[in-house]
PDB file of all heavy atoms in Angstrom:
ATOM      1  N   MET A   1       0.845  -1.183   0.000  1.00 98.00           N
ATOM      2  CA  MET A   1       0.000   0.000   0.000  1.00 98.00           C
ATOM      3  C   MET A   1       0.884   1.238   0.000  1.00 98.00           C
ATOM      4  O   MET A   1       1.657   1.452   0.939  1.00 98.00           O
ATOM      5  CB  MET A   1      -0.934   0.004   1.210  1.00 98.00           C
ATOM      6  CG  MET A   1      -1.807  -1.241   1.320  1.00 98.00           C
ATOM      7  SD  MET A   1      -3.012  -1.134   2.671  1.00 98.00           S
ATOM      8  CE  MET A   1      -1.904  -1.126   4.084  1.00 98.00           C
ATOM      9  N   ASN A   2       0.752   2.025  -1.036  1.00 97.00           N
ATOM     10  CA  ASN A   2       1.511   3.257  -1.176  1.00 97.00           C
ATOM     11  C   ASN A   2       0.567   4.447  -1.218  1.00 97.00           C
ATOM     12  O   ASN A   2      -0.629   4.308  -1.459  1.00 97.00           O
ATOM     13  CB  ASN A   2       2.369   3.223  -2.439  1.00 97.00           C
ATOM     14  CG  ASN A   2       3.380   2.102  -2.450  1.00 97.00           C
ATOM     15  OD1 ASN A   2       3.950   1.756  -1.421  1.00 97.00           O
ATOM     16  ND2 ASN A   2       3.623   1.533  -3.629  1.00 97.00           N
ATOM     17  N   SER A   3       1.122   5.608  -0.999  1.00 96.00           N
ATOM     18  CA  SER A   3       0.351   6.853  -1.041  1.00 96.00           C
ATOM     19  C   SER A   3      -0.897   6.767  -0.180  1.00 96.00           C
ATOM     20  O   SER A   3      -1.998   7.144  -0.595  1.00 96.00           O
ATOM     21  CB  SER A   3      -0.009   7.196  -2.490  1.00 96.00           C
ATOM     22  OG  SER A   3       1.146   7.347  -3.283  1.00 96.00           O
ATOM     23  N   LEU A   4      -0.719   6.275   1.010  1.00 97.00           N
ATOM     24  CA  LEU A   4      -1.853   6.101   1.909  1.00 97.00           C
ATOM     25  C   LEU A   4      -2.420   7.446   2.350  1.00 97.00           C
ATOM     26  O   LEU A   4      -1.692   8.427   2.507  1.00 97.00           O
ATOM     27  CB  LEU A   4      -1.430   5.294   3.128  1.00 97.00           C
ATOM     28  CG  LEU A   4      -1.193   3.805   2.872  1.00 97.00           C
ATOM     29  CD1 LEU A   4      -0.425   3.180   4.028  1.00 97.00           C
ATOM     30  CD2 LEU A   4      -2.526   3.091   2.667  1.00 97.00           C
ATOM     31  N   ASN A   5      -3.701   7.469   2.533  1.00 95.00           N
ATOM     32  CA  ASN A   5      -4.385   8.651   3.023  1.00 95.00           C
ATOM     33  C   ASN A   5      -5.318   8.245   4.149  1.00 95.00           C
ATOM     34  O   ASN A   5      -5.598   7.057   4.341  1.00 95.00           O
ATOM     35  CB  ASN A   5      -5.136   9.367   1.893  1.00 95.00           C
ATOM     36  CG  ASN A   5      -6.122   8.468   1.175  1.00 95.00           C
ATOM     37  OD1 ASN A   5      -7.109   8.041   1.755  1.00 95.00           O
ATOM     38  ND2 ASN A   5      -5.860   8.195  -0.100  1.00 95.00           N
ATOM     39  N   PRO A   6      -5.808   9.206   4.920  1.00 96.00           N
ATOM     40  CA  PRO A   6      -6.658   8.854   6.060  1.00 96.00           C
ATOM     41  C   PRO A   6      -7.894   8.036   5.691  1.00 96.00           C
ATOM     42  O   PRO A   6      -8.397   7.282   6.528  1.00 96.00           O
ATOM     43  CB  PRO A   6      -7.056  10.223   6.632  1.00 96.00           C
ATOM     44  CG  PRO A   6      -5.900  11.103   6.284  1.00 96.00           C
ATOM     45  CD  PRO A   6      -5.464  10.639   4.924  1.00 96.00           C
ATOM     46  N   GLU A   7      -8.365   8.168   4.470  1.00 95.00           N
ATOM     47  CA  GLU A   7      -9.524   7.398   4.027  1.00 95.00           C
ATOM     48  C   GLU A   7      -9.225   5.908   3.927  1.00 95.00           C
ATOM     49  O   GLU A   7     -10.150   5.103   3.829  1.00 95.00           O
ATOM     50  CB  GLU A   7     -10.031   7.912   2.686  1.00 95.00           C
ATOM     51  CG  GLU A   7     -10.701   9.286   2.736  1.00 95.00           C
ATOM     52  CD  GLU A   7      -9.713  10.410   3.002  1.00 95.00           C
ATOM     53  OE1 GLU A   7      -8.568  10.334   2.499  1.00 95.00           O
ATOM     54  OE2 GLU A   7     -10.076  11.363   3.715  1.00 95.00           O
ATOM     55  N   ASP A   8      -7.960   5.545   3.948  1.00 96.00           N
ATOM     56  CA  ASP A   8      -7.577   4.143   3.909  1.00 96.00           C
ATOM     57  C   ASP A   8      -7.601   3.494   5.287  1.00 96.00           C
ATOM     58  O   ASP A   8      -7.372   2.285   5.405  1.00 96.00           O
ATOM     59  CB  ASP A   8      -6.182   3.980   3.297  1.00 96.00           C
ATOM     60  CG  ASP A   8      -6.132   4.412   1.845  1.00 96.00           C
ATOM     61  OD1 ASP A   8      -7.053   4.053   1.084  1.00 96.00           O
ATOM     62  OD2 ASP A   8      -5.170   5.113   1.472  1.00 96.00           O
ATOM     63  N   THR A   9      -7.839   4.270   6.310  1.00 97.00           N
ATOM     64  CA  THR A   9      -7.892   3.730   7.660  1.00 97.00           C
ATOM     65  C   THR A   9      -9.030   2.732   7.784  1.00 97.00           C
ATOM     66  O   THR A   9     -10.191   3.052   7.512  1.00 97.00           O
ATOM     67  CB  THR A   9      -8.069   4.851   8.686  1.00 97.00           C
ATOM     68  OG1 THR A   9      -6.927   5.711   8.658  1.00 97.00           O
ATOM     69  CG2 THR A   9      -8.227   4.284  10.089  1.00 97.00           C
ATOM     70  N   ALA A  10      -8.697   1.527   8.192  1.00 98.00           N
ATOM     71  CA  ALA A  10      -9.682   0.458   8.293  1.00 98.00           C
ATOM     72  C   ALA A  10      -9.008  -0.777   8.856  1.00 98.00           C
ATOM     73  O   ALA A  10      -7.782  -0.838   8.977  1.00 98.00           O
ATOM     74  CB  ALA A  10     -10.296   0.146   6.926  1.00 98.00           C
ATOM     75  N   VAL A  11      -9.823  -1.757   9.178  1.00 98.00           N
ATOM     76  CA  VAL A  11      -9.310  -3.078   9.474  1.00 98.00           C
ATOM     77  C   VAL A  11      -9.236  -3.841   8.163  1.00 98.00           C
ATOM     78  O   VAL A  11     -10.225  -3.931   7.433  1.00 98.00           O
ATOM     79  CB  VAL A  11     -10.196  -3.831  10.483  1.00 98.00           C
ATOM     80  CG1 VAL A  11      -9.674  -5.245  10.700  1.00 98.00           C
ATOM     81  CG2 VAL A  11     -10.249  -3.074  11.804  1.00 98.00           C
ATOM     82  N   TYR A  12      -8.077  -4.356   7.866  1.00 98.00           N
ATOM     83  CA  TYR A  12      -7.862  -5.081   6.630  1.00 98.00           C
ATOM     84  C   TYR A  12      -7.888  -6.577   6.908  1.00 98.00           C
ATOM     85  O   TYR A  12      -7.194  -7.060   7.803  1.00 98.00           O
ATOM     86  CB  TYR A  12      -6.532  -4.673   5.998  1.00 98.00           C
ATOM     87  CG  TYR A  12      -6.588  -3.311   5.352  1.00 98.00           C
ATOM     88  CD1 TYR A  12      -6.668  -2.159   6.128  1.00 98.00           C
ATOM     89  CD2 TYR A  12      -6.583  -3.174   3.964  1.00 98.00           C
ATOM     90  CE1 TYR A  12      -6.749  -0.913   5.543  1.00 98.00           C
ATOM     91  CE2 TYR A  12      -6.659  -1.927   3.374  1.00 98.00           C
ATOM     92  CZ  TYR A  12      -6.739  -0.800   4.171  1.00 98.00           C
ATOM     93  OH  TYR A  12      -6.809   0.446   3.585  1.00 98.00           O
ATOM     94  N   TYR A  13      -8.685  -7.275   6.125  1.00 98.00           N
ATOM     95  CA  TYR A  13      -8.883  -8.699   6.305  1.00 98.00           C
ATOM     96  C   TYR A  13      -8.328  -9.484   5.132  1.00 98.00           C
ATOM     97  O   TYR A  13      -8.551  -9.121   3.974  1.00 98.00           O
ATOM     98  CB  TYR A  13     -10.369  -9.033   6.443  1.00 98.00           C
ATOM     99  CG  TYR A  13     -11.036  -8.428   7.650  1.00 98.00           C
ATOM    100  CD1 TYR A  13     -11.631  -7.175   7.588  1.00 98.00           C
ATOM    101  CD2 TYR A  13     -11.087  -9.117   8.851  1.00 98.00           C
ATOM    102  CE1 TYR A  13     -12.252  -6.621   8.688  1.00 98.00           C
ATOM    103  CE2 TYR A  13     -11.706  -8.579   9.956  1.00 98.00           C
ATOM    104  CZ  TYR A  13     -12.290  -7.326   9.869  1.00 98.00           C
ATOM    105  OH  TYR A  13     -12.914  -6.782  10.963  1.00 98.00           O
ATOM    106  N   CYS A  14      -7.652 -10.536   5.447  1.00 97.00           N
ATOM    107  CA  CYS A  14      -7.182 -11.472   4.439  1.00 97.00           C
ATOM    108  C   CYS A  14      -8.261 -12.513   4.182  1.00 97.00           C
ATOM    109  O   CYS A  14      -8.927 -12.980   5.108  1.00 97.00           O
ATOM    110  CB  CYS A  14      -5.897 -12.133   4.917  1.00 97.00           C
ATOM    111  SG  CYS A  14      -5.273 -13.455   3.864  1.00 97.00           S
ATOM    112  N   LYS A  15      -8.431 -12.854   2.947  1.00 96.00           N
ATOM    113  CA  LYS A  15      -9.379 -13.890   2.569  1.00 96.00           C
ATOM    114  C   LYS A  15      -8.730 -14.827   1.569  1.00 96.00           C
ATOM    115  O   LYS A  15      -8.073 -14.386   0.628  1.00 96.00           O
ATOM    116  CB  LYS A  15     -10.637 -13.289   1.950  1.00 96.00           C
ATOM    117  CG  LYS A  15     -11.613 -14.325   1.407  1.00 96.00           C
ATOM    118  CD  LYS A  15     -12.595 -13.712   0.437  1.00 96.00           C
ATOM    119  CE  LYS A  15     -13.422 -14.770  -0.255  1.00 96.00           C
ATOM    120  NZ  LYS A  15     -14.286 -14.206  -1.306  1.00 96.00           N
ATOM    121  N   ILE A  16      -8.920 -16.107   1.784  1.00 95.00           N
ATOM    122  CA  ILE A  16      -8.470 -17.085   0.810  1.00 95.00           C
ATOM    123  C   ILE A  16      -9.636 -17.980   0.435  1.00 95.00           C
ATOM    124  O   ILE A  16     -10.554 -18.203   1.230  1.00 95.00           O
ATOM    125  CB  ILE A  16      -7.294 -17.942   1.321  1.00 95.00           C
ATOM    126  CG1 ILE A  16      -7.730 -18.833   2.488  1.00 95.00           C
ATOM    127  CG2 ILE A  16      -6.122 -17.061   1.711  1.00 95.00           C
ATOM    128  CD1 ILE A  16      -6.701 -19.882   2.867  1.00 95.00           C
ATOM    129  N   THR A  17      -9.598 -18.462  -0.770  1.00 94.00           N
ATOM    130  CA  THR A  17     -10.572 -19.424  -1.246  1.00 94.00           C
ATOM    131  C   THR A  17      -9.845 -20.730  -1.496  1.00 94.00           C
ATOM    132  O   THR A  17      -8.887 -20.772  -2.268  1.00 94.00           O
ATOM    133  CB  THR A  17     -11.254 -18.935  -2.527  1.00 94.00           C
ATOM    134  OG1 THR A  17     -11.907 -17.692  -2.280  1.00 94.00           O
ATOM    135  CG2 THR A  17     -12.290 -19.945  -2.994  1.00 94.00           C
ATOM    136  N   VAL A  18     -10.306 -21.769  -0.829  1.00 91.00           N
ATOM    137  CA  VAL A  18      -9.658 -23.068  -0.882  1.00 91.00           C
ATOM    138  C   VAL A  18     -10.536 -24.032  -1.660  1.00 91.00           C
ATOM    139  O   VAL A  18     -11.736 -24.136  -1.390  1.00 91.00           O
ATOM    140  CB  VAL A  18      -9.386 -23.616   0.532  1.00 91.00           C
ATOM    141  CG1 VAL A  18      -8.762 -25.003   0.460  1.00 91.00           C
ATOM    142  CG2 VAL A  18      -8.472 -22.665   1.295  1.00 91.00           C
ATOM    143  N   GLN A  19      -9.936 -24.712  -2.578  1.00 85.00           N
ATOM    144  CA  GLN A  19     -10.677 -25.680  -3.365  1.00 85.00           C
ATOM    145  C   GLN A  19     -11.064 -26.866  -2.500  1.00 85.00           C
ATOM    146  O   GLN A  19     -10.215 -27.478  -1.849  1.00 85.00           O
ATOM    147  CB  GLN A  19      -9.852 -26.134  -4.563  1.00 85.00           C
ATOM    148  CG  GLN A  19     -10.604 -27.029  -5.523  1.00 85.00           C
ATOM    149  CD  GLN A  19      -9.825 -27.289  -6.797  1.00 85.00           C
ATOM    150  OE1 GLN A  19      -8.775 -26.708  -7.025  1.00 85.00           O
ATOM    151  NE2 GLN A  19     -10.346 -28.172  -7.634  1.00 85.00           N
ATOM    152  N   SER A  20     -12.335 -27.181  -2.489  1.00 82.00           N
ATOM    153  CA  SER A  20     -12.840 -28.302  -1.715  1.00 82.00           C
ATOM    154  C   SER A  20     -13.352 -29.434  -2.585  1.00 82.00           C
ATOM    155  O   SER A  20     -13.745 -30.474  -2.088  1.00 82.00           O
ATOM    156  CB  SER A  20     -13.954 -27.835  -0.771  1.00 82.00           C
ATOM    157  OG  SER A  20     -15.027 -27.255  -1.486  1.00 82.00           O
ATOM    158  N   GLY A  21     -13.356 -29.217  -3.856  1.00 79.00           N
ATOM    159  CA  GLY A  21     -13.773 -30.194  -4.832  1.00 79.00           C
ATOM    160  C   GLY A  21     -13.423 -29.678  -6.207  1.00 79.00           C
ATOM    161  O   GLY A  21     -12.873 -28.578  -6.355  1.00 79.00           O
ATOM    162  N   PHE A  22     -13.743 -30.467  -7.196  1.00 83.00           N
ATOM    163  CA  PHE A  22     -13.405 -30.038  -8.551  1.00 83.00           C
ATOM    164  C   PHE A  22     -14.082 -28.729  -8.930  1.00 83.00           C
ATOM    165  O   PHE A  22     -13.506 -27.918  -9.660  1.00 83.00           O
ATOM    166  CB  PHE A  22     -13.782 -31.136  -9.548  1.00 83.00           C
ATOM    167  CG  PHE A  22     -12.943 -32.368  -9.433  1.00 83.00           C
ATOM    168  CD1 PHE A  22     -13.524 -33.618  -9.329  1.00 83.00           C
ATOM    169  CD2 PHE A  22     -11.559 -32.287  -9.415  1.00 83.00           C
ATOM    170  CE1 PHE A  22     -12.750 -34.761  -9.222  1.00 83.00           C
ATOM    171  CE2 PHE A  22     -10.771 -33.420  -9.304  1.00 83.00           C
ATOM    172  CZ  PHE A  22     -11.375 -34.665  -9.208  1.00 83.00           C
ATOM    173  N   ASN A  23     -15.289 -28.526  -8.451  1.00 84.00           N
ATOM    174  CA  ASN A  23     -16.048 -27.334  -8.794  1.00 84.00           C
ATOM    175  C   ASN A  23     -16.514 -26.552  -7.574  1.00 84.00           C
ATOM    176  O   ASN A  23     -17.361 -25.663  -7.707  1.00 84.00           O
ATOM    177  CB  ASN A  23     -17.261 -27.717  -9.650  1.00 84.00           C
ATOM    178  CG  ASN A  23     -16.879 -28.384 -10.948  1.00 84.00           C
ATOM    179  OD1 ASN A  23     -16.041 -27.877 -11.691  1.00 84.00           O
ATOM    180  ND2 ASN A  23     -17.480 -29.531 -11.226  1.00 84.00           N
ATOM    181  N   ASP A  24     -15.979 -26.867  -6.418  1.00 87.00           N
ATOM    182  CA  ASP A  24     -16.406 -26.212  -5.189  1.00 87.00           C
ATOM    183  C   ASP A  24     -15.224 -25.582  -4.477  1.00 87.00           C
ATOM    184  O   ASP A  24     -14.080 -26.004  -4.640  1.00 87.00           O
ATOM    185  CB  ASP A  24     -17.092 -27.206  -4.253  1.00 87.00           C
ATOM    186  CG  ASP A  24     -18.350 -27.802  -4.842  1.00 87.00           C
ATOM    187  OD1 ASP A  24     -19.124 -27.043  -5.465  1.00 87.00           O
ATOM    188  OD2 ASP A  24     -18.560 -29.018  -4.679  1.00 87.00           O
ATOM    189  N   ALA A  25     -15.516 -24.576  -3.668  1.00 88.00           N
ATOM    190  CA  ALA A  25     -14.486 -23.897  -2.909  1.00 88.00           C
ATOM    191  C   ALA A  25     -15.075 -23.367  -1.616  1.00 88.00           C
ATOM    192  O   ALA A  25     -16.272 -23.130  -1.511  1.00 88.00           O
ATOM    193  CB  ALA A  25     -13.876 -22.756  -3.718  1.00 88.00           C
ATOM    194  N   MET A  26     -14.213 -23.187  -0.635  1.00 92.00           N
ATOM    195  CA  MET A  26     -14.594 -22.611   0.645  1.00 92.00           C
ATOM    196  C   MET A  26     -13.749 -21.382   0.925  1.00 92.00           C
ATOM    197  O   MET A  26     -12.566 -21.347   0.592  1.00 92.00           O
ATOM    198  CB  MET A  26     -14.417 -23.625   1.774  1.00 92.00           C
ATOM    199  CG  MET A  26     -15.310 -24.842   1.677  1.00 92.00           C
ATOM    200  SD  MET A  26     -15.092 -25.975   3.076  1.00 92.00           S
ATOM    201  CE  MET A  26     -15.643 -24.930   4.430  1.00 92.00           C
ATOM    202  N   ALA A  27     -14.362 -20.395   1.529  1.00 94.00           N
ATOM    203  CA  ALA A  27     -13.671 -19.157   1.859  1.00 94.00           C
ATOM    204  C   ALA A  27     -13.277 -19.135   3.328  1.00 94.00           C
ATOM    205  O   ALA A  27     -14.044 -19.545   4.196  1.00 94.00           O
ATOM    206  CB  ALA A  27     -14.545 -17.953   1.536  1.00 94.00           C
ATOM    207  N   TYR A  28     -12.081 -18.641   3.588  1.00 95.00           N
ATOM    208  CA  TYR A  28     -11.579 -18.484   4.940  1.00 95.00           C
ATOM    209  C   TYR A  28     -11.123 -17.050   5.129  1.00 95.00           C
ATOM    210  O   TYR A  28     -10.538 -16.449   4.225  1.00 95.00           O
ATOM    211  CB  TYR A  28     -10.415 -19.432   5.216  1.00 95.00           C
ATOM    212  CG  TYR A  28     -10.806 -20.892   5.219  1.00 95.00           C
ATOM    213  CD1 TYR A  28     -10.875 -21.614   4.036  1.00 95.00           C
ATOM    214  CD2 TYR A  28     -11.106 -21.543   6.405  1.00 95.00           C
ATOM    215  CE1 TYR A  28     -11.241 -22.951   4.031  1.00 95.00           C
ATOM    216  CE2 TYR A  28     -11.469 -22.882   6.409  1.00 95.00           C
ATOM    217  CZ  TYR A  28     -11.530 -23.573   5.223  1.00 95.00           C
ATOM    218  OH  TYR A  28     -11.889 -24.904   5.228  1.00 95.00           O
ATOM    219  N   TRP A  29     -11.387 -16.538   6.305  1.00 96.00           N
ATOM    220  CA  TRP A  29     -11.062 -15.156   6.623  1.00 96.00           C
ATOM    221  C   TRP A  29     -10.069 -15.062   7.769  1.00 96.00           C
ATOM    222  O   TRP A  29     -10.135 -15.828   8.734  1.00 96.00           O
ATOM    223  CB  TRP A  29     -12.316 -14.379   7.018  1.00 96.00           C
ATOM    224  CG  TRP A  29     -13.289 -14.184   5.903  1.00 96.00           C
ATOM    225  CD1 TRP A  29     -14.259 -15.055   5.508  1.00 96.00           C
ATOM    226  CD2 TRP A  29     -13.388 -13.050   5.056  1.00 96.00           C
ATOM    227  NE1 TRP A  29     -14.965 -14.525   4.452  1.00 96.00           N
ATOM    228  CE2 TRP A  29     -14.449 -13.296   4.158  1.00 96.00           C
ATOM    229  CE3 TRP A  29     -12.696 -11.844   4.963  1.00 96.00           C
ATOM    230  CZ2 TRP A  29     -14.822 -12.369   3.176  1.00 96.00           C
ATOM    231  CZ3 TRP A  29     -13.063 -10.928   3.998  1.00 96.00           C
ATOM    232  CH2 TRP A  29     -14.117 -11.197   3.116  1.00 96.00           C
ATOM    233  N   GLY A  30      -9.167 -14.109   7.658  1.00 97.00           N
ATOM    234  CA  GLY A  30      -8.312 -13.787   8.771  1.00 97.00           C
ATOM    235  C   GLY A  30      -9.048 -12.925   9.774  1.00 97.00           C
ATOM    236  O   GLY A  30     -10.179 -12.484   9.536  1.00 97.00           O
ATOM    237  N   LYS A  31      -8.424 -12.680  10.904  1.00 96.00           N
ATOM    238  CA  LYS A  31      -9.052 -11.889  11.948  1.00 96.00           C
ATOM    239  C   LYS A  31      -8.881 -10.391  11.753  1.00 96.00           C
ATOM    240  O   LYS A  31      -9.508  -9.608  12.457  1.00 96.00           O
ATOM    241  CB  LYS A  31      -8.506 -12.304  13.310  1.00 96.00           C
ATOM    242  CG  LYS A  31      -8.873 -13.736  13.694  1.00 96.00           C
ATOM    243  CD  LYS A  31      -8.392 -14.086  15.085  1.00 96.00           C
ATOM    244  CE  LYS A  31      -8.816 -15.491  15.472  1.00 96.00           C
ATOM    245  NZ  LYS A  31      -8.365 -15.854  16.836  1.00 96.00           N
ATOM    246  N   GLY A  32      -8.069  -9.993  10.817  1.00 97.00           N
ATOM    247  CA  GLY A  32      -7.917  -8.589  10.480  1.00 97.00           C
ATOM    248  C   GLY A  32      -6.707  -7.947  11.130  1.00 97.00           C
ATOM    249  O   GLY A  32      -6.276  -8.339  12.211  1.00 97.00           O
ATOM    250  N   THR A  33      -6.179  -6.952  10.461  1.00 97.00           N
ATOM    251  CA  THR A  33      -5.097  -6.140  10.996  1.00 97.00           C
ATOM    252  C   THR A  33      -5.439  -4.675  10.768  1.00 97.00           C
ATOM    253  O   THR A  33      -5.890  -4.285   9.689  1.00 97.00           O
ATOM    254  CB  THR A  33      -3.743  -6.511  10.340  1.00 97.00           C
ATOM    255  OG1 THR A  33      -2.692  -5.749  10.929  1.00 97.00           O
ATOM    256  CG2 THR A  33      -3.763  -6.274   8.838  1.00 97.00           C
ATOM    257  N   LEU A  34      -5.255  -3.877  11.787  1.00 97.00           N
ATOM    258  CA  LEU A  34      -5.675  -2.480  11.740  1.00 97.00           C
ATOM    259  C   LEU A  34      -4.628  -1.615  11.071  1.00 97.00           C
ATOM    260  O   LEU A  34      -3.446  -1.660  11.420  1.00 97.00           O
ATOM    261  CB  LEU A  34      -5.950  -1.961  13.153  1.00 97.00           C
ATOM    262  CG  LEU A  34      -6.347  -0.488  13.277  1.00 97.00           C
ATOM    263  CD1 LEU A  34      -7.662  -0.214  12.558  1.00 97.00           C
ATOM    264  CD2 LEU A  34      -6.436  -0.088  14.746  1.00 97.00           C
ATOM    265  N   VAL A  35      -5.086  -0.827  10.115  1.00 98.00           N
ATOM    266  CA  VAL A  35      -4.255   0.172   9.454  1.00 98.00           C
ATOM    267  C   VAL A  35      -4.816   1.541   9.792  1.00 98.00           C
ATOM    268  O   VAL A  35      -5.987   1.819   9.533  1.00 98.00           O
ATOM    269  CB  VAL A  35      -4.229  -0.030   7.929  1.00 98.00           C
ATOM    270  CG1 VAL A  35      -3.524   1.137   7.240  1.00 98.00           C
ATOM    271  CG2 VAL A  35      -3.546  -1.344   7.584  1.00 98.00           C
TER     272      VAL A  35
END
């Protein structure tokens, strides 16, 4: 993240999508990190 401004202040969450089958997937979320 470059050229940050106060409007970027937020909790940022990581999300991954994990394949659970040939045509299916599950989403997982992190707990967040504050910026």
Side-chain angles (χ1 to χ4, degrees):
M1 304 186 294
N2 299 324
S3 301
L4 287 165
N5 56 66
E7 290 70 36
D8 296 316
T9 296
V11 176
Y12 285 71
Y13 297 90
C14 174
K15 174 198 171 186
I16 66 169
T17 301
V18 178
Q19 186 171 353
S20 59
F22 292 129
N23 299 310
D24 298 318
M26 296 182 64
Y28 294 84
W29 293 85
K31 295 184 178 180
T33 183
L34 178 63
V35 172

